[in-house]
């Protein structure tokens, strides 16, 4: 596929209902539809993304635009939602995969049927037309780890959390973190890649377990948006705020209290609202027969001059410049 990606056939728009979670009034039969499918509904990260999808929908009232997702971080549930949407006939899918490999088959089937497919947090996804990334993932993971190493004074035991072992970006981030930490002989990685499934309570319990197992544990690098909340809670309750270093992906508002207390050292993030808008912008461009080109402006903050590269399949990788690393002195500049 060339850099100009064009839709070859369109379905009539349909009102979608994914596993009973979405029900909207019917729109005109010729309205084009874009459905964003996230990893999990009802958590701050993807609630914020939904505000972007809603803003994009408001700016495009002639289209049927919505967001859906499973009630738990479960790749099988997400697969079923996508299956339902493809069967019902959404014109475009904007997917944040829980596990890219698991949905390769259904995304190929969707594209074979003429559905536009755009993904996010999945630069290894072969069956996609465009994967949109907020930044270079290796740089992001290494930058978070550099902040962790600084907090730890370049030595001590540390560990990592990922949403799941199948989550492409999470494994990239901790992998880049390991490479960065390896430059410091005193950094000792223990019990890495703990799966959180984006469940703060699960992370809280696992963190307590890790602190019991390793009383001298000095650092955590985490990946899923809720991980820092569970780690921060356990660290604070143990009286270790400011003594154990915690750096991970998270949003400013949910993390504020722990940042203020020192239970969370720093958070890395990009604005999910802008990412949702960027995915939908790409999907709309492709629906209209447009091209995705290097240096183009997606009309979204952080994606004004994107870098476009060939993807692992026939599609494209699009990189924005939306990375933020904030601590208690700077997080109030990004309150969402």
């Amino acid at each position: 596929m060339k850099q100009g990606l064009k839709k070859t056939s369109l379905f009539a728009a349909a009102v979608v209902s994914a596993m009973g979670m979405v029900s909207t009034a019917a729109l005109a039969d010729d309205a084009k539809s874009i459905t964003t499918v996230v990893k999990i509904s009802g958590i701050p990260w993807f609630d914020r993304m939904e505000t972007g999808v809603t803003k994009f929908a408001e700016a495009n009232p002639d289209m049927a635009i919505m967001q859906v997702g499973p009630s738990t971080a479960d790749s099988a549930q997400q697969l079923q939602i996508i299956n339902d949407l493809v069967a019902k006939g959404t014109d475009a899918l904007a997917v944040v995969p829980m596990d890219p490999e698991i949905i390769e088959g259904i995304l190929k089937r969707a594209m074979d049927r003429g559905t536009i497919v755009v993904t996010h947090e999945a630069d290894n996804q072969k069956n996609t037309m465009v994967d949109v990334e907020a930044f270079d993932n290796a740089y992001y993971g290494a930058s978070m780890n550099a902040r962790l190493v600084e907090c730890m004074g370049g030595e001590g035991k540390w560990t990592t959390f990922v949403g799941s072992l199948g989550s492409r970006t999470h494994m990239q981030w901790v992998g880049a973190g390991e490479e960065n930490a390896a430059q410091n002989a005193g950094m000792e990685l223990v019990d890495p890649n703990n799966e959180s499934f984006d469940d703060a309570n699960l992370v809280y319990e696992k963190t307590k377990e890790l602190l019991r197992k390793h009383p001298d544990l000095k650092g955590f690098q985490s990946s899923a948006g809720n991980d820092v909340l569970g780690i921060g809670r356990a660290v604070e309750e143990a009286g270790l705020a400011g003594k154990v270093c915690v750096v991970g992906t998270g949003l400013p508002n949910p993390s504020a209290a722990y940042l203020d207390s020192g239970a969370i050292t720093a958070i890395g993030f990009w604005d999910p609202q802008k990412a949702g808008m960027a995915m939908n912008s790409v999907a709309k461009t492709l629906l209209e027969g447009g091209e995705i080109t290097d240096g183009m402006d997606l009309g979204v903050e952080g994606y004004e001059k994107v870098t476009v590269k060939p993807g692992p399949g026939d599609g494209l990788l699009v990189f924005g410049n939306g990375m933020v690393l904030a601590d208690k002195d700077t997080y109030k500049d990004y309150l969402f």
Side-chain angles (χ1 to χ4, degrees):
M1 181 167 54
K2 302 192 180 296
Q3 290 216 344
L5 295 166
K6 299 182 181 293
K7 186 162 174 77
T8 56
S9 64
L10 296 174
F11 292 105
V15 176
V16 299
S17 176
M19 297 183 71
M21 288 182 287
V22 173
S23 179
T24 64
L27 296 171
D29 288 343
D30 59 351
K32 299 300 184 290
S33 56
I34 304 174
T35 306
T36 300
V37 184
V38 298
K39 296 180 183 181
I40 177 173
S41 291
I43 65 171
W45 189 272
F46 291 115
D47 285 348
R48 176 65 176 177
M49 180 170 283
E50 191 164 20
T51 68
V53 174
T54 299
K55 287 184 69 172
F56 195 84
E58 291 170 350
N60 296 274
D62 58 330
M63 302 182 73
I65 296 171
M66 64 190 71
Q67 176 173 305
V68 299
S71 57
T72 60
D74 181 79
S75 54
Q77 286 188 35
Q78 188 182 53
L79 173 64
Q80 185 58 55
I81 288 173
I82 298 171
N83 267 308
D84 291 347
L85 290 166
V86 173
K88 292 175 186 297
T90 188
D91 291 305
L93 286 166
V95 184
V96 188
M98 184 69 187
D99 187 329
E101 184 176 351
I102 285 177
I103 61 172
E104 288 283 17
I106 185 57
L107 294 188
K108 182 180 187 303
R109 188 152 63 250
M111 290 192 296
D112 288 346
R113 294 181 61 172
T115 303
I116 293 294
V117 173
V118 178
T119 51
H120 176 55
E121 291 193 64
D123 66 2
N124 63 331
Q125 195 83 61
K126 294 180 180 179
N127 289 296
T128 184
M129 294 177 172
V130 178
D131 180 73
V132 180
E133 299 294 322
F135 41 66
D136 178 85
N137 286 294
Y139 176 73
Y140 178 72
S143 296
M144 285 202 294
N145 187 262
R147 184 68 177 84
L148 182 70
V149 170
E150 177 188 349
C151 177
M152 292 176 60
E155 62 180 9
K157 292 181 179 179
W158 68 289
T159 191
T160 57
F161 275 89
V162 294
S164 73
L165 296 176
S167 180
R168 168 64 171 176
T169 53
H170 294 189
M171 295 303 293
Q172 285 178 294
W173 301 339
V174 296
E178 288 183 32
E179 291 182 11
N180 181 76
Q183 300 176 46
N184 301 269
M187 295 288 289
E188 180 184 353
L189 180 63
V190 297
D191 294 330
N193 303 340
N194 296 280
E195 288 187 289
S196 71
F197 303 103
D198 222 327
D199 185 331
N201 289 325
L202 186 155
V203 175
Y204 166 70
E205 296 296 342
K206 182 63 178 179
T207 300
K208 290 195 298 181
E209 177 185 327
L210 287 165
L211 290 170
R212 285 193 297 268
K213 183 177 179 181
H214 303 283
D216 54 348
L217 188 61
K218 289 179 60 179
F220 293 82
Q221 179 175 336
S222 64
S223 306
N226 280 330
D227 293 358
V228 287
L229 304 181
I231 299 169
R233 177 185 168 196
V235 166
E236 190 168 89
E237 288 185 3
L240 296 173
K243 299 176 183 177
V244 170
C245 302
V246 179
V247 180
T249 301
L251 292 182
N253 275 347
S255 305
Y258 294 128
L259 284 164
D260 287 338
S261 74
I264 296 176
T265 308
I267 53 173
F269 58 94
W270 63 104
D271 190 343
Q273 179 190 82
K274 305 300 189 295
M277 295 175 72
M279 279 195 294
N280 277 261
S281 175
V282 168
K284 181 185 177 185
T285 297
L286 299 182
L287 279 171
E288 293 174 345
E291 300 182 354
I292 305 301
T293 57
D294 191 57
M296 76 182 295
D297 184 354
L298 299 184
V300 181
E301 182 182 352
Y303 302 83
E304 297 94 342
K305 190 176 181 181
V306 297
T307 300
V308 177
K309 299 179 180 179
D314 292 331
L316 302 173
L317 295 175
V318 170
F319 297 93
N321 186 28
M323 174 184 148
V324 178
L325 192 61
D327 56 23
K328 68 178 180 180
D329 294 326
T330 58
Y331 80 87
K332 291 179 183 177
D333 293 336
Y334 310 94
L335 286 181
F336 58 82

